Amino acid sequence: MGTSTSSKIEKDFTDLGEEIPENLIGIENKSNTCYANSVIQSLYFCKEFKENLLSSKSLPNSLTKHMQDLFLLMKSSKKKTEVISAKAFIQQVKRLNILFDNENHHDSHEFLIWVLGTLDEELKKVGKSWIEDVFAGKSVTQFICLTCESISNREELFIDLSLDVMQNTSLISSLNSFTKPERMSEENKFHCDYCSCKQEAERRTLIKNTPQVLICHLKRFKYSEQYRRYTKLNYRVAFPCQLRLDNTLEENDGKIYELYSIIVHSGPGFQIGHYMSFVKINEYWIRFDDDYIERADENMIQYIFGSPRDVGSAPCGYILFYRLVNKF
């Protein structure tokens, strides 16, 4: 256990005349571990994830067991708010993956996908994994030959959607771009099995099955030939609190998702900066910035949409977590 982080968040709720809704636990930042802390908070407040994790079997000294111990520590705290150390969990991460076995700044998206993949592998060793049940959707890429009009489909599972971003757009625009048809011609022609040769074609990707929890990763880091490094796209990308998915192949399309967590990056680039998470608990947004916790208002959420400037260090929404609210 660490020192108390209660002063700000307790004052926020005292000013509202309300009690803190549930345990709000800060996590110490030990040598650039904000990338992990932001992911831990986003997963801890994912009910579908936390309930499955805490009821799962786990092998001794596994990532699953260390994460269970960490979540139990956060859940069972007798104080509504305080600071804890995730040292044992981070040490296990470093033992399992040499990429994180240092004190460098790391990418929270890369860490999130690795954690989910590692948990999936470990859970399968002791029974059935539920990771795909919670996070996996299925996309289908269609290739339509423009000569014979035959359609070829290729399906694959996705744990998250990595979406391109442009200045002054929205998450909806990025999703529409993801599913927008693309012409395949000249050197990029498609080999049609029915024509037995390469032909001009149209390619498009649609979402066939949607997950319980939809993770949208905004691709804010782009390699710059000019600077010979990854630079950050500070683009202002608005994202809604409720997301309706229309570009699907499911019979019951138009499913509605509710935004419950945002991982934010501030700083100039891929290898330098800071991560924090904003989590919606009941009707309140809470900002978890390592060991500092405060209530966030709607203006703060809009502020992290990004900046009118193309590049810079502004805090920007980076990973968005949406929970399915209508399951038909």
Side-chain angles (χ1 to χ4, degrees):
M1 298 290 179
T3 56
S4 175
T5 185
S6 61
S7 57
K8 184 65 173 75
I9 191 64
E10 284 189 345
K11 183 179 184 302
D12 288 344
F13 277 93
T14 297
D15 291 345
L16 290 171
E18 297 186 22
E19 295 287 331
I20 293 177
E22 60 179 280
N23 285 2
L24 306 179
I25 308 299
I27 304 174
E28 293 178 352
N29 184 341
K30 293 294 187 181
S31 304
N32 290 325
T33 55
C34 60
Y35 70 93
N37 293 348
S38 60
V39 169
I40 291 167
Q41 297 288 8
S42 294
L43 293 178
Y44 179 80
F45 287 102
C46 176
K47 183 178 73 171
E48 297 85 350
F49 179 89
K50 181 165 62 178
E51 289 179 352
N52 278 293
L53 179 73
L54 294 179
S55 62
S56 295
K57 295 180 181 178
S58 59
L59 295 170
N61 205 32
S62 61
L63 187 71
T64 306
K65 181 63 169 66
H66 281 277
M67 198 165 205
Q68 287 172 331
D69 292 343
L70 178 59
F71 276 25
L72 284 171
L73 188 62
M74 297 168 73
K75 182 179 179 181
S76 62
S77 173
K78 294 180 180 179
K79 298 180 180 179
K80 280 289 188 179
T81 178
E82 63 175 319
V83 178
I84 64 171
S85 169
K87 182 178 179 181
F89 174 76
I90 296 297
Q91 285 179 335
Q92 182 63 15
V93 167
K94 292 182 175 183
R95 281 193 290 266
L96 292 174
N97 191 333
I98 191 172
L99 175 68
F100 302 111
D101 189 14
N102 50 61
E103 297 182 354
N104 298 337
H105 177 83
H106 293 290
D107 178 39
S108 63
H109 175 253
E110 189 171 25
F111 180 70
L112 168 66
I113 297 305
W114 176 79
V115 166
L116 294 180
T118 302
L119 292 176
D120 184 58
E121 293 175 3
E122 292 183 351
L123 289 166
K124 287 175 180 176
K125 293 178 180 178
V126 293
K128 182 181 181 296
S129 172
W130 42 264
I131 295 294
E132 290 185 1
D133 295 338
V134 175
F135 296 104
K138 183 180 289 185
S139 66
V140 56
T141 301
Q142 296 182 333
F143 299 89
I144 305 170
C145 177
L146 298 182
T147 299
C148 70
E149 298 185 346
S150 63
I151 300 176
S152 302
N153 292 328
R154 185 181 67 207
E155 296 183 359
E156 59 182 348
L157 292 178
F158 64 85
I159 294 296
D160 72 327
L161 295 177
S162 286
L163 304 172
D164 292 321
V165 296
M166 296 294 291
Q167 180 62 280
N168 290 323
T169 57
S170 66
L171 177 65
I172 305 299
S173 297
S174 293
L175 285 167
N176 288 338
S177 178
F178 180 78
T179 59
K180 183 179 179 180
E182 176 188 1
R183 187 70 172 257
M184 303 178 69
S185 60
E186 298 179 353
E187 295 180 357
N188 196 32
K189 286 183 178 180
F190 168 71
H191 186 277
C192 176
D193 291 337
Y194 295 92
C195 297
S196 299
C197 63
K198 287 188 174 183
Q199 300 282 17
E200 289 194 354
E202 183 179 273
R203 176 175 60 195
R204 66 173 181 171
T205 300
L206 293 173
I207 300 170
K208 183 175 182 180
N209 300 121
T210 53
Q212 290 186 54
V213 177
L214 175 67
I215 303 174
C216 294
H217 163 231
L218 301 180
K219 293 157 69 174
R220 289 196 175 273
F221 300 111
K222 183 178 181 180
Y223 188 78
S224 169
E225 293 291 348
Q226 178 183 354
Y227 298 108
R228 295 185 179 181
R229 59 179 172 83
Y230 280 91
T231 58
K232 180 183 174 185
L233 304 178
N234 262 21
Y235 297 156
R236 186 182 187 279
V237 180
F239 41 84
C241 286
Q242 284 202 332
L243 175 66
R244 184 184 179 97
L245 280 184
D246 292 320
N247 297 343
T248 71
L249 292 177
E250 293 185 319
E251 292 181 6
N252 295 317
D253 59 354
K255 289 186 174 180
I256 296 175
Y257 285 82
E258 183 176 63
L259 182 67
Y260 85 88
S261 185
I262 310 159
I263 292 180
V264 173
H265 179 273
S266 62
F270 180 72
Q271 295 178 317
I272 187 170
H274 181 64
Y275 292 101
M276 66 189 89
S277 55
F278 288 72
V279 179
K280 192 171 187 181
I281 302 170
N282 297 339
E283 70 268 34
Y284 301 112
W285 281 101
I286 309 296
R287 179 166 78 102
F288 292 88
D289 188 353
D290 296 326
D291 58 355
Y292 180 81
I293 308 172
E294 68 173 346
R295 191 173 68 87
D297 59 21
E298 197 63 35
N299 289 333
M300 193 178 293
I301 299 302
Q302 292 189 19
Y303 179 67
I304 60 176
F305 284 172
S307 168
R309 296 178 57 198
D310 288 352
V311 295
S313 303
C316 302
Y318 181 46
I319 309 174
L320 311 174
F321 295 78
Y322 282 89
R323 178 183 292 119
L324 184 63
V325 292
N326 66 329
K327 300 184 180 180
F328 297 96

